[in-house]
Amino acid sequence: LESPDSGTVELDGARIDNLPPHRRGVAMLAQKPALYPHLTVAKNLAVVGPNSREAIDLLRLGPLLDRLPHELSGGERQRVGLAKLLGRNAALWLLDEPFAGLDPTFRPEFRLDLHLLARQAGATILLVTHDPTDATALGHRIGVVGDGRLVQVGPADELIERPATAFVAGSLGRFSLVPGAISTRAGGGDRSERVFVSECGSVEVPVPANAFPGASPPPASLTLGIRPTDVSPVPPDFAMPEPGIVLKGWPVVLAEPDGSGWL
């Protein structure tokens, strides 16, 4: 869609930015799929090449083949767009926020369609999304982009458990950040232990002994990140089985149901 100011674009070792679109081996599905409004679904599919009966059955397009695009729902139009990708037989698929126009009810179904199609096509898929659920459900490798740069790239579990920055942490779901510092207090016997204490003193967290193996003393200030899913309400007289986070009189500011729990 854009001509580069410098450099080249290569796919499998071959330069493709100097080729016409139909010879690049790249297929694209935008937020609003490009369907010819005057052609039926069957004829829209025929434009890019023969679609196998298996693909039509997989995407449940059989009952829709004689319909025009304006007679389809948003999810049905996206399924037709996916079938067009499959017909292109391209090595690389570019998906630009394909879920943005879909009702949340249909998103899991569409993600499943995409998983099945990717397995059948054997294509590399590059998907852009603002939704962390879509990213973690579909991505083998996730790249978080901030200020036009890739901030961190890796598997979903790695980015969720070990985000490189607060921006990465917040991009993959809700995240509460608590500024504070580490203090040292006397432990049992002659031992002393390091504890993270928030600036207001209402949060205390024991610091694991191996948290800063190369830092002595530890950093002057730190930020503690807490995901809502990591917090469970307990009775006031509940005895912690082992050292953990201590919240001294923190009020609940906002709680929202997410379908399977509370955020």
Side-chain angles (χ1 to χ4, degrees), residues 49-67:
N51 257 265
S52 69
R53 188 74 233 178
E54 182 181 1
I56 291 174
D57 292 342
L58 179 66
L59 292 169
R60 305 173 299 285
L61 296 178
L64 310 178
L65 293 178
D66 294 329
R67 295 188 189 180

Side-chain angles (χ1 to χ4, degrees), residues 21-124:
H22 66 280
R23 292 182 52 200
R24 293 175 184 166
V26 177
M28 181 174 178
L29 178 63
Q31 180 175 334
K32 295 182 178 179
L35 304 179
Y36 294 105
H38 62 291
L39 298 181
T40 64
V41 169
K43 291 181 179 179
N44 264 283
L45 297 179
V47 169
V48 296
N51 257 265
S52 69
R53 188 74 233 178
E54 182 181 1
I56 291 174
D57 292 342
L58 179 66
L59 292 169
R60 305 173 299 285
L61 296 178
L64 310 178
L65 293 178
D66 294 329
R67 295 188 189 180
L68 294 171
H70 75 270
E71 299 174 313
L72 305 176
S73 68
E76 290 169 342
R77 285 193 291 271
Q78 287 292 58
R79 295 211 306 268
V80 175
L82 281 177
K84 288 182 65 178
L85 291 191
L86 201 60
R88 287 283 306 277
N89 197 29
L92 175 64
W93 293 5
L94 304 179
L95 306 185
D96 184 12
E97 298 197 57
F99 305 98
L102 297 183
D103 188 297
T105 306
F106 300 113
R107 282 191 174 213
E109 182 180 299
F110 193 64
R111 286 195 292 261
L112 176 60
D113 291 340
L114 194 53
H115 269 301
L116 296 174
L117 280 182
R119 185 181 305 172
Q120 178 175 323
T124 296

Side-chain angles (χ1 to χ4, degrees), residues 132 153 174-175 181 183 247:
V153 181
R174 302 194 184 198
F175 213 69
S183 65
L247 306 178

